[in-house]
Amino acid sequence: MSENFSNEEIEEMKEAFAKVDVDCSGYISKDELKALFHDVGLPVPGYQIRVLLEKLDKDNDNSISFEEFKALYMDMKNDCIAQKFKKALNKKEGIVAIGGTSEISSEGTQHSISEQERFAFANYINSTLESDPDCQHVLPINPNTDALFKAVADGIVLCKLINFSVPDTIDERTINKKKLTPFTIQENQNLVLNSASAIGCQVVNIGAQDLKEGKPHLVLGLLWQIIKIGLFADIELSRNEAIAALLEEGESLEELMKLSPEELLLRWVNFHLKKVGMSISNFSSDIKDSKAYFHLLEQIAPDGSKEDVPRVDIDMTGAYEKDLTKRAELMLQQADRLNCRQFVTATDVVCGHPKLNMAFVAMLFNKHPALTKPDQDLDLESETREERTFRNWMNSLGVCPHVHHIYGDLHDAMVILQLYEKIKVSVDWENRVNCPPFKGVGGGHLKKIENCNYAVELGKIKAGFSLVGIAGQDLYDGNETLTLALVWQLMRRYTLNVLEDLGHGEVAGDDLIVSWVNKTLAEEGKSSSIKSFKDRSISTSIPVLELIDAIIPQSVNFDLVKKGDLSDEDKLDNAKYAISMARKIGAKVYALPEDLVEVNPKMVMTIFACLMGRGMKKA
């Protein structure tokens, strides 16, 4: 095979192979393959790992030799999974190997951390939380040391960062801030992990102890997810109508809405660069010379036309500096004039660190979009609370691709099929599923519809769902009502499966949960009870708070709970406290405070089911 490669390519492959073969055994194991994608922030579902392993492992010995590894490079251009693998290898630069001691990885396992990310995230936290009185005991964090990992150990910084990214996620009254003990720190980390999960972070392999010990690769992974969610929050058409200015000729608003935040950022950069005859296709190799950045800054700098926003003239002379690192530094000095010097150093720009450069561009967009909102009313519907809850639930389970727009991202059924696996319904990936890239007329729409038909078939036959009137075409078309009907049944089954696992297989349902709630409340002498998940007393959140206190006695501070004739504002205040308290005692609640106030029976069921699961763990 070597005659097909140059000596330079052989050396490149040897270097790439060594990056993955962490234990230097001469072979790549399945665990090493999975660790590669995790370490570089490219989570890949289990089925794709299996497909990749099968593609490479020609002699079926469950490990990949160097000769087998070389075969991957032969069809790199035409294979989606192989390209994802190459992308992961390319990202695995500037990383430091550290010994792993987490229970989820065997003693001595090597993990990789990026010093650039440690530096960037420490500085971001310093600037974001610098005026927060509750964080002064750890700020400022020295970005050149491992101080970051110690700073997150008590959970306070992480709680604050979650609230900065998604305001009001955590009720500040539930954060333990003074006279911390191992127990109260554990509560804070429970609050961090369950709140992070509720905003769409994947925390499946992270425990409270990992955060208390400051496990570097897990801390950096969680920090990036939290920061990214905040950076991308407004890069979405229904929340920022000015993005409609990025519409291309012949493109509909629906098509624009389906673009991911990463795709919209790239579109935004090129929208401005087009004025100077430039374009980029990525946030790594295409920005290394800083020229695109210089011109972008020139285009988005305030021109003085807005009141109270002074004009800023970007000094472009730095674009002609021959030394790339010096040029990047001069560019960042100009970005600083826009109050946007964040996430990247000059070295990160020259090295083309994709994650940090994308964060830098997102900050530029958020502070200086330089887009004009269209005159006409776009009549855009914002994401509903239910849609957001479902989307965050899916993302927290690590589905791939990440779900940004619930209907557009489910239309090929790949995410739905992964969710079936999460609820223990087996999927025939080899014979029944068409995996991307979808080629053919209309972007392979027939193959996508086949996937959707299979997803409906699995629901009806294997999962026993009620899917009357739902066809694969409905999922492909993004029919909102019917798509949500399927997703709700997936989420409900996932929630009940947790209870059945804890209850040694006893079938869980609404009646069982209501009965357990009332029994638990009565045994602890609480005055509350509920008739069903539609019980109007739930709108006060008092039954939920009393149940939490029954599960963990004296955990709820009832002095903070509003009682008597409650206004809507009082009810919402109680609900915020209840949701955060549920997460603090270890219940993975995805529902929102408004679901309690409005007594949304679906979401109320998930809250009580999660609390029942927490109570059963205690028993």
Side-chain angles (χ1 to χ4, degrees):
M1 186 184 292
S2 60
E3 63 268 20
N4 296 313
F5 299 105
S6 67
N7 289 334
E8 189 177 332
E9 286 172 322
I10 293 289
E11 285 306 309
E12 179 190 336
M13 282 184 276
K14 285 181 179 176
E15 186 181 339
F17 187 83
K19 287 180 185 177
V20 194
D21 180 24
V22 177
D23 62 6
C24 302
S25 65
Y27 294 89
I28 296 172
S29 67
K30 181 180 177 182
D31 287 341
E32 286 173 329
L33 203 58
K34 193 171 183 180
L36 166 70
F37 289 105
H38 181 273
D39 289 343
V40 299
L42 287 169
V44 174
Y47 81 90
Q48 285 195 4
I49 293 286
R50 290 195 296 272
V51 170
L52 183 53
L53 193 61
E54 288 166 9
K55 176 178 285 293
L56 295 173
D57 184 19
K58 302 300 182 186
D59 56 8
N60 298 315
D61 64 352
N62 285 320
S63 62
I64 303 160
S65 68
F66 181 63
E67 287 301 315
E68 290 169 330
F69 182 80
K70 284 198 292 187
L72 175 68
Y73 279 66
M74 295 295 289
D75 59 353
M76 191 67 71
K77 291 181 181 177
N78 300 315
D79 189 278
C80 148
I81 297 173
Q83 285 176 346
K84 184 169 279 194
F85 180 61
K86 184 76 175 288
K87 182 180 179 184
L89 284 171
N90 288 341
K91 287 184 75 176
K92 201 172 172 75
E93 297 291 347
I95 55 182
V96 179
I98 58 169
T101 55
S102 170
E103 290 178 10
I104 59 165
S105 58
S106 59
E107 185 74 27
T109 298
Q110 291 276 310
H111 292 288
S112 303
I113 66 164
S114 164
E115 290 184 303
Q116 298 100 311
E117 289 173 26
R118 182 191 67 192
F119 187 88
F121 298 165
N123 283 329
Y124 177 76
I125 290 170
N126 286 339
S127 63
T128 301
L129 302 178
E130 65 180 346
S131 60
D132 193 311
D134 298 322
C135 298
Q136 297 312 303
H137 63 299
V138 294
L139 297 186
I141 300 165
N142 185 339
N144 296 305
T145 69
D146 285 341
L148 172 64
F149 308 120
K150 295 182 178 67
V152 302
D154 64 15
I156 296 173
V157 163
L158 290 170
C159 283
K160 299 284 187 170
L161 204 58
I162 287 170
N163 271 354
F164 184 80
S165 283
V166 184
D168 290 331
T169 297
I170 295 174
D171 187 325
E172 287 256 344
R173 296 172 295 176
T174 62
I175 305 173
N176 298 320
K177 300 173 183 176
K178 300 193 186 309
K179 297 180 181 176
L180 296 176
T181 66
F183 176 73
T184 55
I185 289 173
Q186 172 91 13
E187 286 186 321
N188 279 353
Q189 299 296 16
N190 286 341
L191 185 56
V192 166
L193 290 170
N194 290 323
S195 300
S197 187
I199 64 171
C201 296
Q202 184 186 359
V203 299
V204 175
N205 290 330
I206 309 176
Q209 191 62 30
D210 294 317
L211 298 181
K212 283 162 74 175
E213 293 175 10
K215 299 265 177 76
H217 65 291
L218 296 176
V219 169
L220 289 180
L222 179 59
L223 281 173
W224 170 239
Q225 291 186 78
I226 295 169
I227 291 168
K228 185 179 176 185
I229 285 168
L231 286 172
F232 284 3
D234 290 326
I235 307 175
E236 201 263 310
L237 186 59
S238 65
R239 294 183 65 167
N240 188 346
E241 291 191 357
I243 289 174
L246 303 179
L247 270 170
E248 293 182 345
E249 193 173 342
E251 185 177 41
S252 67
L253 278 173
E254 289 72 23
E255 289 170 317
L256 188 66
M257 285 183 74
K258 288 179 182 178
L259 295 182
S260 69
E262 293 93 335
E263 290 169 324
L264 283 172
L265 274 181
L266 204 56
R267 175 83 64 94
W268 173 73
V269 172
N270 286 327
F271 171 82
H272 287 298
L273 291 183
K274 188 177 182 181
K275 298 163 190 171
V276 292
M278 291 182 70
S279 70
I280 63 169
S281 59
N282 57 61
F283 296 122
S284 51
S285 58
D286 286 2
I287 52 80
K288 287 182 177 183
D289 64 5
S290 297
K291 288 188 176 179
Y293 280 156
F294 263 111
H295 287 290
L296 177 63
L297 292 173
E298 185 182 39
Q299 295 298 321
I300 66 173
D303 59 7
S305 60
K306 285 187 179 178
E307 198 174 335
D308 299 328
V309 182
R311 179 184 177 90
V312 177
D313 291 306
I314 297 298
D315 182 354
M316 295 293 288
T317 57
Y320 303 100
E321 165 63 50
K322 290 184 179 178
D323 183 285
L324 290 183
T325 305
K326 289 179 181 176
R327 186 191 299 169
E329 174 57 33
L330 291 168
M331 179 276 295
L332 289 173
Q333 289 173 14
Q334 297 305 306
D336 197 22
R337 297 176 63 210
L338 301 183
N339 197 25
C340 289
R341 181 163 189 161
Q342 192 68 269
F343 291 113
V344 289
T345 62
T347 303
D348 296 330
V349 174
V350 175
C351 291
H353 192 298
K355 188 184 293 184
L356 298 181
N357 276 283
M358 183 170 65
F360 173 59
V361 173
M363 177 157 277
L364 290 173
F365 174 90
N366 287 326
K367 291 195 173 183
H368 301 282
L371 296 174
T372 304
K373 183 179 173 182
D375 293 332
Q376 73 271 30
D377 184 10
L378 299 179
D379 193 29
L380 293 172
E381 289 188 12
S382 296
E383 184 179 47
T384 66
R385 284 203 319 273
E386 187 176 49
E387 289 165 353
R388 177 163 47 129
T389 301
F390 288 155
R391 179 172 58 79
N392 287 339
W393 168 67
M394 289 185 265
N395 288 331
S396 76
L397 297 179
V399 295
C400 186
H402 196 85
V403 179
H404 297 289
H405 183 263
I406 198 165
Y407 306 109
D409 291 340
L410 301 189
H411 83 297
D412 62 6
M414 292 301 291
V415 167
I416 292 173
L417 294 171
Q418 290 168 60
L419 292 174
Y420 275 119
E421 287 201 322
K422 302 292 184 186
I423 64 165
K424 303 175 186 175
V425 171
S426 61
V427 176
D428 186 352
W429 294 101
E430 193 171 334
N431 300 307
R432 295 295 308 274
V433 181
N434 301 305
C435 291
F438 297 102
K439 296 177 181 177
V441 179
H445 70 278
L446 292 177
K447 290 185 176 181
K448 294 176 185 177
I449 292 172
E450 284 177 2
N451 284 354
C452 292
N453 288 335
Y454 180 47
V456 173
E457 177 190 316
L458 283 176
K460 288 179 177 177
I461 297 172
K462 283 196 175 183
F465 289 164
S466 172
L467 299 176
V468 178
I470 300 180
Q473 186 74 42
D474 297 313
L475 300 181
Y476 177 77
D477 292 340
N479 181 298
E480 295 180 12
T481 303
L482 300 180
T483 299
L484 291 182
L486 173 56
V487 173
W488 159 242
Q489 291 184 73
L490 285 162
M491 185 178 183
R492 184 177 189 277
R493 178 67 56 83
Y494 178 82
T495 305
L496 296 179
N497 278 356
V498 173
L499 293 183
E500 288 169 16
D501 289 344
L502 291 167
H504 307 292
E506 183 182 0
V507 177
D510 290 7
D511 292 342
L512 180 72
I513 298 168
V514 170
S515 174
W516 181 88
V517 168
N518 288 328
K519 178 171 175 284
T520 304
L521 287 167
E523 285 176 351
E524 292 298 323
K526 304 296 184 185
S527 60
S528 296
S529 65
I530 60 170
K531 297 183 181 67
S532 71
F533 300 131
K534 297 179 181 178
D535 195 310
R536 295 311 302 174
S537 69
I538 294 169
S539 71
T540 67
S541 295
I542 290 173
V544 177
L545 286 161
E546 290 201 333
L547 180 61
I548 291 167
D549 202 64
I551 295 168
I552 305 293
Q554 298 181 310
S555 59
V556 174
N557 180 355
F558 283 99
D559 290 341
L560 300 175
V561 180
K562 309 282 199 318
K563 303 178 184 72
D565 188 16
L566 301 181
S567 65
D568 286 345
E569 189 177 342
D570 291 335
K571 289 180 179 179
L572 185 60
D573 199 51
N574 281 355
K576 287 177 179 178
Y577 185 54
I579 294 292
S580 283
M581 280 304 305
R583 292 170 182 160
K584 182 177 178 177
I585 69 163
K588 191 170 280 191
V589 171
Y590 290 92
L592 299 168
E594 291 84 355
D595 294 318
L596 283 175
V597 175
E598 296 171 13
V599 194
N600 176 339
K602 289 180 182 177
M603 292 302 145
V604 166
M605 185 282 282
T606 66
I607 293 169
F608 282 116
C610 290
L611 286 170
M612 180 177 173
R614 176 64 185 86
M616 290 169 74
K617 277 183 184 175
K618 175 189 168 191

